[in-house]
Amino acid sequence: MFRQITVGVVILISCCANAASDKLQLWQDKITQNHMSAHTDSLTADGIALYAAMIRRVSGKGADDTALSLAKRGTELAPESVLLRIILAKLYIKARQCRHAMPHLTYADDVINRQSEHLTDRRYRQIIDRLRNLCASTVENVAFMSMKGQRSPSLLDRLGGDIVPIDEGSLFDRYCQALGSLCAHQGHADLKQGDRSGTSIWLHVGTMSRIRSHDIWTPTLKTHIFHKLNSKPYYGLRGAKIQLDMKRRVGDKKRFDASLSAQSVITQQGPDRPKRTYEAWRMGLTMRHFMTQKTNIGTGIAHMRTQQNMRHSKRFETRLEMATKVTNQLHAEASLIWTRTFRKGGALSSQGRDMYFGVSLDLNTWIFAGASMRQTKTMFARPLAYLREAHQVSRRVLATNIGIHLTKDKTSLIDLHFMRTKSASHYRPDNFIDDAVIIYFQHIF
């Protein structure tokens, strides 16, 4: 009987070795079908070694789900095998499922004679202790600083657009017609926004504390302090933010991500305008499904409440997002967000859509690059005083970046971004093309 099992294992290894990379899914399915039909008799030492080699080969090909299934089957065929227990625990840890790995590490530790000085037993004990440490709950504290410099025709994400045409039939136009000679607008309004082009510098410092645990909610607390300096006087902002993120695995393929944040910002947008204070808090919940070890899809909701000088607004978000690891060097992500904003105090309520797609590529150990496209559309609930109909704003942002890690452990980097924003709207200040160059530096202590 062992001979049949051994021959079957050798055949499976041969299948794995000869499979072409473009037929990965085909041989994964073949292996899965074959190993599920294996006989339930126990494996001998030689059979365990062959089975372990097969699992490593399958995992090395990137078929982690198949390797995990094979390892589970191996522990059924050889329950007392320390080697197969350790391999199964490693695969669970790789899948961030420590709660499933720990029982196998405990079982393997009980099988090994702790007093044995045999080389294999000593090596197994070291591996088990190391894997347990990986799954132990620890507190990680880091601090970081970053600086971003931006040169753009617009410091406030849109051009000046001082002169705005007044539509016939708009509220402003009707009032002027009613007032007769007391009102003469000459068909336009002067918003007096002035020239806002120039250079801005963001200074950003913060801390992050994370309790690493794979069996309960994993909390991460982040604090941020930021200050934006502009080359034009009377334009800038400063503020602080605190955010709590919580993550928890549910089963083998699902995870819940919850977040709660609060921030306060003081900003000024011109020499003739007073400083404004913004206070906001946001809470969100995302359910993430891991389709494979390299691809996940998430859906979530979020609620944000903002107070601006006694004016309140609420924002609701529903989002769908996807991230995948195409290769070890190439990553891609996409998202689609639907928003609805309710404002009081004369401000405009709106609803919108935000689509994003981006890729990032590690060119080598030190250099990385990326590209992204973002398309947003905002539709306002009612017209402005000088517009006849409610306007909408459509924006497309194209960005590319190239950066370099300054240290081997990737704690410092410089990243150069090139961005083009094209905005289309009947409302002239939101109808523009904006090019920007951004240089970004970050260091983690």
Side-chain angles (χ1 to χ4, degrees):
M1 184 60 64
F2 165 70
R3 183 176 181 179
Q4 294 177 353
I5 296 176
T6 303
V7 171
V9 171
V10 172
I11 293 174
L12 290 178
I13 295 175
S14 178
C15 291
C16 295
N18 296 328
S21 59
D22 59 342
K23 296 182 180 180
L24 182 62
Q25 187 61 46
L26 194 61
W27 63 258
Q28 285 180 27
D29 295 340
K30 186 174 182 179
I31 289 173
T32 303
Q33 293 172 4
N34 287 334
H35 96 267
M36 289 302 292
S37 61
H39 201 279
T40 58
D41 288 354
S42 298
L43 294 174
T44 65
D46 291 339
I48 290 172
L50 287 172
Y51 212 99
M54 176 179 62
I55 296 171
R56 292 191 184 101
R57 183 177 292 275
V58 173
S59 179
K61 292 288 186 178
D64 293 327
D65 291 339
T66 303
L68 186 61
S69 181
L70 284 168
K72 291 179 184 177
R73 183 61 172 165
T75 57
E76 294 175 0
L77 296 173
E80 301 296 322
S81 171
V82 175
L83 176 60
L84 292 179
R85 294 281 180 177
I86 289 177
I87 291 176
L88 179 57
K90 283 184 176 180
L91 291 171
Y92 273 129
I93 293 173
K94 185 177 181 180
R96 300 184 62 85
Q97 300 178 33
C98 274
R99 62 184 180 279
H100 295 318
M102 290 302 293
H104 295 284
L105 294 175
T106 302
Y107 191 99
D109 191 38
D110 292 339
V111 173
I112 298 174
N113 182 2
R114 299 296 293 186
Q115 306 303 321
S116 173
E117 292 300 324
H118 190 276
L119 181 61
T120 302
D121 291 337
R122 290 171 56 188
R123 182 171 176 272
Y124 281 157
R125 287 198 298 266
Q126 293 174 355
I127 295 175
I128 291 172
D129 292 340
R130 179 173 58 83
L131 295 179
R132 279 177 164 172
N133 289 333
L134 290 176
C135 286
S137 296
T138 59
V139 179
E140 299 175 348
N141 296 307
V142 299
F144 64 91
M145 62 167 289
S146 65
M147 181 173 65
K148 182 176 74 172
Q150 176 176 342
R151 175 65 186 177
S152 170
S154 171
L155 296 178
L156 299 177
D157 197 29
R158 69 182 188 187
L159 301 180
D162 292 347
I163 308 301
V164 177
I166 297 176
D167 290 348
E168 294 185 7
S170 65
L171 180 63
F172 193 79
D173 181 61
R174 295 198 304 270
Y175 278 174
C176 278
Q177 290 182 5
L179 292 173
S181 60
L182 297 177
C183 178
H185 57 68
Q186 286 86 37
H188 63 267
D190 190 351
L191 302 183
K192 296 181 180 180
Q193 298 186 70
D195 180 16
R196 296 180 293 182
S197 63
T199 302
S200 61
I201 298 177
W202 283 87
L203 302 175
H204 195 166
V205 296
T207 62
M208 182 178 72
S209 299
R210 179 175 63 182
I211 300 177
R212 191 183 67 188
S213 174
H214 301 277
D215 297 319
I216 59 175
W217 286 94
T218 302
T220 302
L221 182 65
K222 302 175 184 178
T223 61
H224 306 264
I225 300 175
F226 47 89
H227 192 178
K228 183 180 181 182
L229 304 173
N230 291 327
S231 58
K232 297 289 184 181
Y234 306 104
Y235 287 98
L237 62 84
R238 64 182 184 274
K241 178 180 180 180
I242 184 169
Q243 179 173 331
L244 175 64
D245 295 326
M246 303 284 287
K247 297 181 179 181
R248 179 172 181 138
R249 283 273 188 172
V250 181
D252 294 341
K253 292 185 175 293
K254 292 182 176 61
R255 189 184 77 195
F256 279 111
D257 298 344
S259 64
L260 176 65
S261 65
Q263 67 176 355
S264 178
V265 178
I266 299 176
T267 180
Q268 187 173 9
Q269 300 182 358
D272 300 327
R273 298 185 178 184
K275 294 182 178 180
R276 296 184 177 182
T277 301
Y278 296 84
E279 296 177 355
W281 66 267
R282 183 182 187 275
M283 61 184 302
L285 179 65
T286 301
M287 195 279 286
R288 197 170 298 281
H289 175 71
F290 290 83
M291 304 168 64
T292 68
Q293 294 298 324
K294 298 182 178 181
T295 302
N296 67 81
I297 185 170
T299 180
I301 58 174
H303 175 222
M304 183 174 181
R305 179 181 175 89
T306 304
Q307 177 177 320
Q308 173 195 346
N309 295 354
M310 303 307 292
R311 293 182 178 181
H312 297 272
S313 65
K314 296 180 180 180
R315 177 186 174 96
F316 297 91
E317 297 180 1
T318 304
R319 63 184 178 276
L320 181 67
E321 52 195 19
M322 183 175 182
T324 184
K325 186 177 180 181
V326 183
T327 66
N328 289 333
Q329 293 78 32
L330 180 62
H331 300 255
E333 58 181 350
S335 65
L336 177 59
I337 304 175
W338 295 271
T339 64
R340 194 171 186 89
T341 305
F342 301 92
R343 295 184 176 93
K344 296 181 179 180
L348 298 182
S349 298
S350 63
Q351 58 182 355
R353 183 188 65 224
D354 187 335
M355 296 185 295
Y356 172 84
F357 175 77
V359 294
S360 59
L361 176 65
D362 292 327
L363 301 177
N364 55 39
T365 306
W366 299 91
I367 303 175
F368 59 93
S372 65
M373 188 274 289
R374 184 178 182 183
Q375 177 78 49
T376 63
K377 186 175 183 179
T378 305
M379 297 164 287
F380 293 93
R382 59 181 179 80
L384 292 168
Y386 30 79
L387 299 180
R388 183 175 64 253
E389 298 178 354
H391 70 293
Q392 62 184 27
V393 181
S394 298
R395 288 185 182 176
R396 175 178 296 175
V397 181
L398 300 176
T400 59
N401 72 288
I402 186 168
I404 182 171
H405 295 288
L406 302 179
T407 56
K408 189 175 182 180
D409 57 0
K410 299 183 179 182
T411 56
S412 297
L413 62 85
I414 293 179
D415 198 2
L416 183 63
H417 291 251
F418 302 91
M419 298 178 61
R420 162 161 283 200
T421 302
K422 184 176 182 180
S423 180
S425 176
H426 177 60
Y427 179 51
R428 182 173 292 182
D430 281 323
N431 189 37
F432 61 87
I433 296 178
D434 186 2
D435 293 313
V437 178
I438 301 172
I439 185 168
Y440 178 77
F441 167 78
Q442 177 178 283
H443 177 70
I444 300 176
F445 297 94

